[in-house]
C-alpha cells in the first residue's frame, strides 16, 4: 500500500513540475462538499468498546477547503487544504487533508465549459478527540483521482462541481483516560462530492 502511494505521489510531482513550466494564470479558490469515509476498526476496539459506530462520526459531513494554483489552457495544478470534523454518540473525529492535484481539461461544446480529470496525492491527518479518551492523531499518505465539470463565468471567475476518491493509510488509537489502549481505527478511504469557486489573478 505505501509503495503504491509513494509511486502515485512521485508521478503527481512529475506532472506538476511539467505543467509549471507552461502555467500562465494563478488562481485561488474555495470548496464546499460532503465527505464520506470508510473507517475500519480493529477487533480489539470492537471487543473493548462494544463495536462503536465510529464510521458514522465524520461520514456524510460538510467539508470546507481552500486551494491555490496555476492553470493553462490544457490543465491546472493546485494545492488544497480541507477540514472536516464532527461528533457522534460521544465520539469526535477530525480529518485534515493537505493535497497536491493535477487536472487535464477537455472542452465541452465551447471553451467556457470544460470537463476535467486528474490525480491527487498528499497527506491526511486523522485526529481522535473523544471526551473521556486520550487524544491521539496520525498523519498518513493519500492518493486518488478526481473528475468533474468547470464553467468559466468570465476571464477571472469559474465555478465547478466534482467528485474525488482517495485511498489513505492514516490510523489513530483510542485509550480511555487512565486505562490502556482499547484498539485502533484506520481511515481506509475517503470520497467527496463538492462545489467550488475559483478566482484568477
Amino acid at each position: 500500500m505505501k509503495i503504491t502511494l509513494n509511486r502515485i505521489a512521485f508521478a503527481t510531482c512529475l506532472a506538476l513540475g511539467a505543467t509549471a513550466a507552461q502555467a500562465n494564470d494563478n488562481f485561488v479558490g474555495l470548496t464546499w462538499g460532503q465527505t464520506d469515509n470508510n473507517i475500519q476498526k480493529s477487533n480489539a476496539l470492537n471487543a473493548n468498546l462494544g463495536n462503536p459506530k465510529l464510521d458514522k462520526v465524520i461520514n456524510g459531513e460538510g467539508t470546507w477547503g481552500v486551494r491555490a494554483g496555476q492553470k493553462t489552457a490544457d490543465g491546472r495544478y493546485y494545492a488544497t487544504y480541507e477540514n472536516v470534523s464532527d461528533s457522534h454518540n460521544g465520539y469526535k473525529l477530525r480529518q485534515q487533508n493537505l493535497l497536491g492535484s493535477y487536472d487535464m481539461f477537455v472542452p465541452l461544446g465551447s471553451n467556457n465549459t470544460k470537463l476535467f480529470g486528474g490525480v491527487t496525492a498528499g497527506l491526511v491527518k486523522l485526529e481522535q478527540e473523544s471526551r473521556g479518551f486520550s487524544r491521539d492523531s496520525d498523519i498518513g499518505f493519500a492518493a486518488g483521482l478526481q473528475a468533474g465539470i468547470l464553467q468559466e463565468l468570465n476571464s477571472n471567475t469559474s465555478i465547478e462541481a466534482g467528485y474525488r476518491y482517495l485511498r489513505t493509510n492514516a490510523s489513530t488509537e483510542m485509550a480511555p483516560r487512565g486505562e490502556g489502549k482499547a484498539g485502533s481505527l484506520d481511515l481506509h478511504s475517503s470520497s467527496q462530492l463538492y462545489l467550488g469557486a475559483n478566482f484568477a489573478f
Side-chain angles (χ1 to χ4, degrees):
M1 175 68 176
K2 288 186 177 181
I3 294 176
T4 301
L5 289 170
N6 289 337
R7 287 178 178 172
I8 294 176
F10 179 69
T12 302
C13 289
L14 291 179
L16 296 183
T19 309
Q22 54 177 334
N24 57 11
D25 284 322
N26 297 317
F27 72 91
V28 295
L30 301 171
T31 61
W32 177 259
Q34 176 179 295
T35 294
D36 294 317
N37 286 324
N38 177 6
I39 291 179
Q40 300 180 349
K41 300 165 291 180
S42 68
N43 292 332
L45 186 64
N46 285 331
N48 291 325
L49 298 181
N51 193 21
K53 302 299 183 182
L54 294 169
D55 55 335
K56 296 184 179 296
V57 178
I58 51 175
N59 189 60
E61 294 302 320
T63 305
W64 62 267
V66 293
R67 57 167 61 163
Q70 292 185 315
K71 68 174 183 175
T72 69
D74 300 321
R76 63 181 178 179
Y77 68 96
Y78 50 98
T80 302
Y81 168 79
E82 294 175 332
N83 186 303
V84 56
S85 66
D86 203 5
S87 300
H88 180 77
N89 286 343
Y91 300 109
K92 182 177 181 179
L93 297 176
R94 180 185 304 275
Q95 176 186 345
Q96 298 180 77
N97 302 332
L98 184 59
L99 307 170
S101 304
Y102 173 73
D103 293 330
M104 292 186 64
F105 293 145
V106 178
L108 188 65
S110 70
N111 287 331
N112 292 331
T113 305
K114 302 173 183 178
L115 298 177
F116 66 84
V119 295
T120 289
L123 301 174
V124 172
K125 184 177 183 181
L126 181 64
E127 298 172 88
Q128 186 279 119
E129 305 172 337
S130 306
R131 181 177 299 178
F133 290 82
S134 299
R135 291 192 175 191
D136 189 53
S137 65
D138 179 56
I139 297 177
F141 294 108
L145 304 169
Q146 68 274 346
I149 185 168
L150 181 143
Q151 176 67 48
E152 294 182 350
L153 303 179
N154 54 50
S155 60
N156 297 320
T157 308
S158 63
I159 57 175
E160 66 183 85
Y163 171 82
R164 188 188 64 223
Y165 176 82
L166 294 175
R167 287 290 299 273
T168 87
N169 63 356
S171 176
T172 187
E173 298 180 350
M174 297 194 70
R177 287 197 177 97
E179 301 180 23
K181 172 184 171 183
S184 61
L185 57 116
D186 302 322
L187 180 58
H188 182 260
S189 63
S190 181
S191 62
Q192 184 185 127
L193 287 168
Y194 69 90
L195 299 173
N198 306 302
F199 309 94
F201 59 93

